[in-house]
Amino acid sequence: GAGLKAMLWSARRHLNLSAAQLAGGMLSTSVTEFDERVQVPLLNLSGVDEYYTSSSSVHQLHNIRVPLLVVHAIDDPLIPPHAFPHAALRSRPHVSLVVTQRGGHLGWISGKSPLMHSWTDKLIARWLMKLERRGQASGSGSSPQPVVAAAPTVLPAAVPGAACSP
């Protein structure tokens, strides 16, 4: 909420919002409400459902031709499990999908402050090393296969010392 409002306030002169749209955005108490009050009128759409459908990357999954690692947390407040395209991602040959119970939206922090680190940094490094060992990162011409998980793998996230190998 506060981040969206700060961005809205900073960009208000460039967005050509009406006073009512600006006020509506600043008074929003949820992302959906913000989208309904700001994004929908700005893009001249019929409603928030049309906005979410038209802005979803799920319509581009068929264009993925290189290895892609997707990490999703069940507790993501912006993309809940029912809105996440698990089946569509699993059906793509170039996609590796990892699903965690916790992690929030862009979370997966582990360790003790001030030495916290991102759990996903380790996961990504391991995934890239596996791709390199298989010759997929260099474009060897072979069809990439998922190297992390062919189906959703639920891993412990945001837990100090949690394993990062699926």
Side-chain angles (χ1 to χ4, degrees):
L4 280 174
K5 291 175 186 179
M7 286 190 295
L8 176 63
W9 186 253
S10 296
R12 69 189 181 280
R13 290 186 185 100
H14 305 287
L15 294 175
N16 297 321
L17 297 174
S18 70
Q21 288 171 314
L22 180 60
M26 297 305 287
L27 295 172
S28 297
T29 59
S30 70
V31 173
T32 303
E33 194 172 85
F34 179 91
D35 291 341
E36 187 69 52
R37 293 176 175 182
V38 177
Q39 303 286 34
V40 168
L42 200 66
L43 298 170
N44 199 28
L45 300 172
S46 62
V48 74
D49 289 335
E50 182 183 4
Y51 171 60
Y52 293 149
T53 299
S54 66
S55 64
S56 174
S57 59
V58 75
H59 309 294
Q60 298 301 318
L61 293 178
H62 66 280
N63 290 321
I64 297 172
R65 303 280 187 264
V66 297
L68 172 67
L69 175 63
V70 177
V71 185
H72 180 244
I74 298 296
D75 70 348
D76 186 327
L78 297 180
I79 308 171
H82 70 274
F84 192 81
H86 292 270
L89 287 167
R90 280 195 306 267
S91 72
R92 305 306 312 154
H94 303 292
V95 176
S96 298
L97 175 62
V98 176
V99 177
T100 62
Q101 289 291 339
R102 295 185 316 231
H105 190 73
L106 305 175
W108 300 286
I109 303 298
S110 61
K112 294 184 179 184
S113 181
L115 304 174
M116 295 187 308
H117 60 279
S118 171
W119 173 85
T120 50
D121 289 350
K122 288 183 180 182
L123 177 70
I124 292 166
R126 293 176 69 120
W127 182 76
L128 288 171
M129 288 189 295
K130 287 181 182 183
L131 283 179
E132 185 62 34
R133 280 196 297 270
R134 293 181 181 196
Q136 296 173 357
S138 60
S140 65
S142 62
S143 178
Q145 298 298 313
V147 294
V148 175
T153 301
V154 179
L155 301 173
V159 176
C164 68
S165 61

